[in-house]
Amino acid sequence: MKQIAGDSLSAQTIAVNEGILSKNDVFAARNRSLFASRRLLVLNVLSSPGSGKTAFIERTLTDLRSRLRGAVIVGDLATDNDAKRIARSGAQAVQITTGDMCHLEAEMVGKAAGQLNLDNLDVLIIENVGNLVCPSGYDLGENLRVVLLAATEGEDKPLKYPVMFKTADVVIVNKMDIAEAAGFDRATALDNIRRIAPQATVFEVSARTGLGMEQWYAWLEQRCAQKQPSPSPAA
Amino acid sequence: MHEVSIMQNALEIALEHMRRQNATRIHRIHMRVGALSSVVPEALEFAFDVVTQGTPAQGATLEIERVPAVCYCPACQIEFEPDGYFYECPQCGSLNVQIRKGRELELAFLEVSQQTADDRRQMTDGE
Ligand SMILES: [Zn+2]
């Protein structure tokens, strides 16, 4: 009997329709319910390298020390310098060594959160890897995405990374103290941000001098307060 | 970029579905990649050859279906494909639009069989 060789005998098409990052989404959902059970406000902070992201987080936690109880998860290439810097603010800090990874994943964040004491905490800040492309598709279970750029990076920065800016809840323009000296076209920059990310709340700050930080703090405190149970109506 | 790890994830999902069907070979993998997925299709193709080496998907065909961004304007109730960076409704100019398509990064379907490469070679040799 002659056997017919070929795929037609047994080949079959299977519909899959599954997200490639679905595993990450499962971990992100798990993180989100853990954070929700602790009434934690969780920020995922993203920027390019050198935008002053660590300084921004450090200053936020230091200045807010008496108003909000914060912790940080830092994604860092190898050394734990950023985590050490942030620990100076008195906040709990855990480092995720990312090696050559270009983004944080939800599973890593879940493990790192396990090393933190989540009791009596108001805000958890996740400092993502310095990259405005790769992390965009990875949900970490955060409540808010904060995308930071420095005025020194130029007013066309949002045009170079439109996908990331379109996912931002907050856009921080840092280094505003030296914006003018750097030839930063502020009006064009704000227009670019508004048109690319109309959903985002924008803050112009200097993490170095503190310029504009108070508005950011007030907004952040308000968001944290929304996490707390509203006072129960009088019976 | 991280197309290699994306492709590894895709291959894991594909192998899992292959095994569920009691199949042993993957001949075709069809993916949907949205314009807003931050993934470069050409880099995926390159990564595919690397990660499938020595697996049941070695030599399989990778098909990438590119999905353009599609927005919806709630005011005009129209869908449109945005042009450029700014997602403005072409009818009313509003920026207050929803992104409906373009974030896809999916494994759509697979073609599998129960033959192994060795089976096929033996059958051909025996003729
Ligand atoms: Zn419209």
Side-chain angles (χ1 to χ4, degrees):
Chain A
M1 191 180 109
K2 191 177 158 78
Q3 231 180 334
I4 302 164
D7 303 329
S8 56
L9 276 181
S10 55
Q12 59 177 131
T13 303
I14 322 171
V16 177
N17 294 317
E18 196 173 318
I20 306 296
L21 305 181
S22 56
K23 211 175 110 190
N24 183 72
D25 292 340
V26 170
F27 282 107
R30 206 177 288 174
N31 291 350
R32 191 165 279 118
S33 68
L34 168 72
F35 300 148
S37 72
R38 303 302 184 104
R39 300 187 188 285
L40 257 181
L41 183 73
V42 181
L43 314 183
N44 180 4
V45 183
L46 301 131
S47 78
S48 292
S51 308
K53 179 163 37 112
T54 307
F56 172 76
I57 294 170
E58 190 185 356
R59 175 141 201 161
T60 298
L61 289 170
T62 304
D63 290 353
L64 284 178
R65 201 159 25 188
S66 60
R67 292 147 73 179
L68 288 179
R69 296 156 299 180
V72 190
I73 293 173
V74 184
D76 211 350
L77 293 178
T79 62
D80 61 348
N81 286 340
D82 285 355
K84 276 188 192 134
R85 259 178 83 178
I86 285 167
R88 286 196 311 230
S89 69
Q92 296 182 70
V94 176
Q95 191 213 351
I96 299 175
T97 306
T98 51
D100 57 358
M101 286 207 68
C102 46
H103 60 271
L104 289 182
E105 295 191 9
E107 188 178 8
M108 306 167 173
V109 169
K111 279 187 190 150
Q115 297 174 45
L116 292 167
N117 177 9
L118 300 181
D119 296 327
N120 307 315
L121 212 57
D122 299 305
V123 60
L124 172 62
I125 302 183
I126 304 167
E127 181 178 350
N128 215 311
V129 179
N131 186 321
L132 282 180
V133 178
C134 301
S136 74
Y138 292 85
D139 181 7
L140 303 181
E142 73 269 22
N143 302 115
L144 297 170
R145 254 187 200 203
V146 179
V147 178
L148 184 144
L149 72 152
T152 47
E153 293 175 296
E155 55 283 347
D156 57 349
K157 185 85 178 178
L159 307 185
K160 291 177 184 160
Y161 301 94
V163 174
M164 184 63 87
F165 278 86
K166 283 182 197 303
T167 69
D169 299 296
V170 177
V171 173
I172 304 283
V173 187
N174 192 22
K175 305 194 184 179
M176 282 308 288
D177 56 323
I178 52 171
E180 215 180 297
F184 181 63
D185 181 348
R186 177 175 172 266
T188 303
L190 293 178
D191 193 52
N192 284 342
I193 294 167
R194 184 187 62 81
R195 293 171 78 191
I196 287 223
Q199 76 287 349
T201 307
V202 183
F203 296 95
E204 297 170 77
V205 308
S206 166
R208 199 174 65 84
T209 65
L211 174 80
M213 293 293 280
E214 196 49 50
Q215 284 96 308
W216 155 242
Y217 298 154
W219 189 86
L220 192 61
E221 275 189 302
Q222 203 181 9
R223 293 305 296 246
C224 282
Q226 285 168 8
K227 283 268 158 190
Q228 297 311 313
S230 39
S232 49
Chain B
M1 287 309 288
H2 53 264
E3 275 78 2
V4 172
S5 81
I6 300 268
M7 212 59 238
Q8 259 157 358
N9 287 350
L11 180 63
E12 272 169 40
I13 295 168
L15 291 174
E16 171 65 29
H17 282 267
M18 178 198 80
R19 284 190 286 263
R20 259 188 240 166
Q21 299 294 316
N22 291 317
T24 52
R25 287 278 295 160
I26 297 176
H27 302 282
R28 195 151 64 101
I29 295 183
H30 188 99
M31 286 175 67
R32 282 190 206 106
V33 177
L36 299 171
S37 67
S38 292
V39 167
V40 181
E42 289 75 15
L44 277 183
E45 281 164 15
F46 175 76
F48 183 73
D49 292 337
V50 177
V51 305
T52 54
Q53 285 290 324
T55 74
Q58 184 172 339
T61 307
L62 174 66
E63 294 170 352
I64 296 179
E65 179 185 337
R66 297 173 190 229
V67 183
V70 173
C71 294
Y72 174 75
C73 175
C76 302
Q77 301 189 340
I78 56 159
E79 281 193 351
F80 64 95
E81 280 188 26
D83 185 22
Y85 304 120
F86 307 126
Y87 291 3
E88 275 163 336
C89 172
Q91 207 158 295
C92 69
S94 170
L95 290 162
N96 184 21
V97 301
Q98 298 154 10
I99 297 171
R100 287 211 162 157
K101 282 185 194 160
R103 298 202 194 280
E104 294 81 355
L105 185 55
E106 296 168 353
L107 182 50
F109 61 84
L110 291 177
E111 196 181 289
V112 298
S113 76
Q114 285 169 353
Q115 281 182 320
T116 64
D118 287 342
D119 288 341
R120 205 158 44 226
R121 209 171 301 130
Q122 274 168 9
M123 278 188 269
T124 317
D125 291 346
E127 275 178 19

